[in-house]
Amino acid sequence: MRKRSAITNATRKSLKLEGRSAKVFQEVVETCDLLLTFGYRPTAILKYGMDGVRKMKTARERAYHRQELLRLQSQKLLSIRKIGNEYRVALTERGSKEMFRLQVLQAPPMPDGCVCMVAFDIPEIENALRRSLRNFLRYAGFVPIQKSVWISPYDAWEPLVKLFDLNRTSRWISVFVSRRMDLRK
């Protein structure tokens, strides 16, 4: 009996999802984001102040940013050169391919009734290319309607064309935007 009353008391104390107090509470939480972000380190706030903790956090974020840039450089996706006091960052060819691949994976949906279609006729001697293209298309959300014709509901035609041009495979691969037609009407 005691447990039941404790549970009901706890639920009475919680906010209703649609209630006014819940909305006000959410607004306060959104505006006090800084306190919630640093609230887990009250000693640091007391010792260094809010500005000091903020500076430490931005310095840490810059260090993470530099670390990721170096990782991208080691993966040969970026080239980083220091000229004077400035750093110049440029995409490598591999980085350009990766950028287009990410754009294909993040493509928005096509308008209703439209699909992005990839058709290819890659020679037998390029079997590894054919296999990697199929794996990539499957990973990017395409489905096969034949072994060499794949469709997707995502608007990925533009980055695909650029990617295939960059890979020098556009002579074997064609990208289309097509509309599904209902023949039953």
Side-chain angles (χ1 to χ4, degrees):
M1 210 44 116
R2 273 184 142 171
K3 290 182 181 178
R4 184 178 232 183
S5 63
I7 292 172
T8 56
N9 286 340
T11 55
R12 284 185 195 139
K13 291 180 183 177
S14 61
L15 300 175
K16 292 182 182 177
L17 187 60
E18 300 85 20
R20 282 188 222 157
S21 56
K23 290 179 184 177
V24 170
F25 181 71
Q26 287 175 341
E27 288 175 12
V28 168
V29 167
E30 289 171 6
T31 58
C32 293
D33 186 35
L34 195 60
L35 269 178
L36 292 175
T37 303
F38 300 118
Y40 69 95
R41 299 185 62 183
T43 308
I45 293 173
L46 290 174
K47 186 173 183 179
Y48 303 108
M50 199 63 128
D51 290 334
V53 172
R54 191 178 303 124
K55 287 178 186 176
M56 287 189 303
K57 184 178 179 185
T58 57
R60 197 175 315 120
E61 287 174 358
R62 277 196 310 269
Y64 290 145
H65 191 260
R66 274 193 305 272
Q67 183 180 9
E68 291 305 317
L69 282 173
L70 292 174
R71 181 176 293 139
L72 292 170
Q73 182 182 22
S74 71
Q75 293 174 348
K76 298 190 181 351
L77 298 174
L78 295 177
S79 68
I80 302 173
R81 288 183 292 152
K82 186 174 182 180
I83 301 174
N85 291 336
E86 293 183 354
Y87 284 96
R88 302 285 172 124
V89 179
L91 283 176
T92 61
E93 185 176 345
R94 185 174 175 192
S96 298
K97 292 175 185 178
E98 182 66 15
M99 179 194 64
F100 289 126
R101 186 186 73 81
L102 290 174
Q103 287 178 351
V104 168
L105 295 176
Q106 296 171 347
M110 292 284 277
D112 284 341
C114 291
V115 293
C116 180
M117 184 170 61
V118 175
F120 55 93
D121 187 18
I122 300 174
E124 277 295 317
I125 59 172
E126 299 288 341
N127 192 23
L129 174 64
R130 213 175 34 237
R131 191 172 340 133
S132 66
L133 176 64
R134 285 184 181 129
N135 287 337
F136 171 72
L137 291 173
R138 186 175 296 112
Y139 183 69
F142 282 76
V143 291
I145 56 175
Q146 291 182 1
K147 280 190 172 184
S148 62
V149 179
W150 291 64
I151 61 170
S152 169
Y154 300 106
D155 192 7
W157 69 270
E158 192 171 358
L160 279 174
V161 169
K162 291 178 183 176
L163 178 65
F164 297 147
D165 284 342
L166 194 62
N167 282 337
R168 296 174 190 85
T169 55
S170 58
R171 63 181 179 258
W172 299 317
I173 305 169
S174 299
V175 180
F176 303 95
V177 174
S178 57
R179 178 174 300 270
R180 288 181 179 247
M181 303 303 286
D182 190 7
L183 300 175
R184 290 174 266 178
K185 289 185 180 181

